[in-house]
Amino acid sequence: MKLPRGRLDKSRVVTDPRDTLADVLDRELTGYAVFESQETLLLDGEGRGVMTFSDGVPVLVYHTGTDRGGPPALADLAVPGPYHVSLYTLDAADLESAHEAADLRVSPGMPAERLGGDPALADSTRRAAPDERLSAMGDGDAEAPEDGTADQSAVEAFLDDAEKIEAIKQQARSEARERAQEWDF
Amino acid sequence: MVEVFAVASGKGGTGKTTSTVALGMALSDRYDVTVVDADTGMANLLFHAGLSDAETTLHDVLADEAPVEAATYDRFGLTVVPCGTSLDGFRDADPDRLRDVVAALAEDTDIILLDSPPALDSRTAVLPIVLADRIVVVLQPTIPAISDGLKVQEYATTYDTDVAGLLFNKIRESESIEQVSEKTERYFDGPTLAAVPESERAREARRAGRPLLAHAPECEAATAYRAAAESLTVRDGAAADAADRFQSAVIPESL
Ligand SMILES: Nc1ncnc2c1ncn2[C@@H]1O[C@H](COP(=O)(O)OP(=O)(O)OP(=O)(O)O)[C@@H](O)[C@H]1O
Ligand SMILES: [Mg+2]
C-alpha cells in the first residue's frame, strides 16, 4: 500500500484500539492510522498495521509485518496492547488511488466490531458510512456483506494464527504467576 | 456436594451477569443453586434479580457487619447474594472475606455461581476465579473478547481452576457461529456450552429488573441457556470438607 505521508495529527500510546477508532470517527478524520504494538514478546509485534479512513470511516487495512490486507490484517493487528498509534490526515484526493485496492478493503463496521469489540461503535460507524460503502461491498467480493459473515473472517483469521494465540496464552500464564506472588494469594 | 463456578470474561459487557442468573435458573431445575455477585466494585446482579432495594448485601458481610444469612434472598427459585453499589460499601469491604462467604454458603447448596468482574488487574478481581472449582467463560465472537477470554482461562488454570465450558453470547442472526466456536474450542480446555443469540428480550428483562428466564422463558436466548445448563456436568465435590476447601483455597505450591 502506497500512501502520501500526510500531516501528523496525533501520536500516542493507547491500550485499546477501540479508543482510536472512536476518536477517529468522532473527528471524522480522513487519512490513516499507524498501529505499532509495544509488545515485543509477540511475533506479530513485528511490523505495523495501517488503517485508512474517509471521514472517520475505516476503508483499508494492511499489515506490514505479514503483508496481508483486509480482514486478515485486522487479525494481525490484534495483539494485546498497548499500541503506539500515529494519526495522519490527508486530502480525500490523496487516498483515491490507494482506495482502489479492493483486496485490502474492510467493511465500515468491521474494525470496531471485531478489533474493537464494540458493536455500538460499529453501528455508529456504519451509520456514518456512505450508502455505497454499505452496498458496494456486496459485489461478488468474498469479504462482501456488511456484518455477519464478512466480519467473522477477521475473527477466524485470528483463530487460525495458532502461534500468536499460544504467545498470548504464555504471556497470560507468566503474568498470572508473577501476580500470584505480588498479590500474596 | 457443592461445585463453585466463576462466570468470567476478561472483557466487560459480554453478558456475565445475565448469564450467571440465567444459568442459575436453568440449573435450579436439578440443583439447589446459589448465585453471588462477586463483582464487588461494580455490582449489578441485584438489578437483574429484582433486588435493587435489598437492605443487607455482600458489602455488609465483607465489612463484617452482617452474617451471610442476612444477605441471602430467595428469588426466582435461586438463593441470591446481591452486592451493594455504593463506593463506601466497596471501600469498607474486605475482599478476602469472600473465601469465608463461599465456604459458609457451600454448606447448604449444590452449586454456587460467582458473577465475576471484567478484569484481571487486581487481587479482588481475580479472587472469584481462584476460589472457583471451574470457570464458565463468556465470549462474544470478537477478537478482543476471545483474546481476553484466553487470558482468563490461563489465569484460572495457573491457579488450579478448571474450565467448565464456553458460552458465546450476543450472536447476531446473520452470524453463523459454528466455524468460530469450533476454532475457538481448539484453544480452550472446555467445550462450547451454548451460543446465545442477541436478544431484545435480554435487554427488556434487564430493564424490567427480572431474570431473562423469568421474563421470557420461551425465547431463543432462554432456550440456549437451558441447553447450556443441560450440557454442564456438575462434579461431586466432597460435601464434608467444603468449608475446608475454600478456606484453604490457595495458589498451588508449584508456583
Ligand atoms: N444475549 C443478549 N442479547 C442482548 N443483550 C444482552 C444479551 N446478554 C446481555 N445483554 C445485555 O448486555 C448488557 C451487558 O450485560 P451484562 O450486564 O450481563 O454483562 P456483564 O458481562 O455482566 O457486564 P460487566 O462486565 O459490566 O459486568 C446488558 O444491558 C444486558 O441486558
Ligand atoms: Mg456484570
Side-chain angles (χ1 to χ4, degrees), chain B residues 9-20 39 42-44 48 115-119 138 140 168-171 196-207 212 221 225:
Chain B
S9 72
K11 201 176 169 307
T14 52
K16 292 175 291 301
T17 306
T18 304
S19 300
T20 302
D39 188 358
M42 281 283 240
N44 74 346
H48 289 249
D115 181 17
S116 310
V138 183
Q140 287 173 253
F168 277 96
N169 190 24
K170 303 193 189 184
I171 309 302
V196 181
E198 165 126 308
S199 156
E200 189 47 39
R201 302 286 93 74
R203 280 185 289 266
E204 275 170 21
R206 165 73 181 77
R207 284 195 293 272
L212 173 69
Y225 279 116

Side-chain angles (χ1 to χ4, degrees), chain A residues 114 159 173 175-176 183, chain B residues 123 141 154-155 159 175 187:
Chain A
R114 305 297 154 172
L159 291 167
R173 280 197 293 274
E175 214 176 270
W183 290 331
Chain B
R123 201 172 185 288
E154 298 311 310
Y155 269 71
Y159 301 156
E175 295 174 326
Y187 304 107

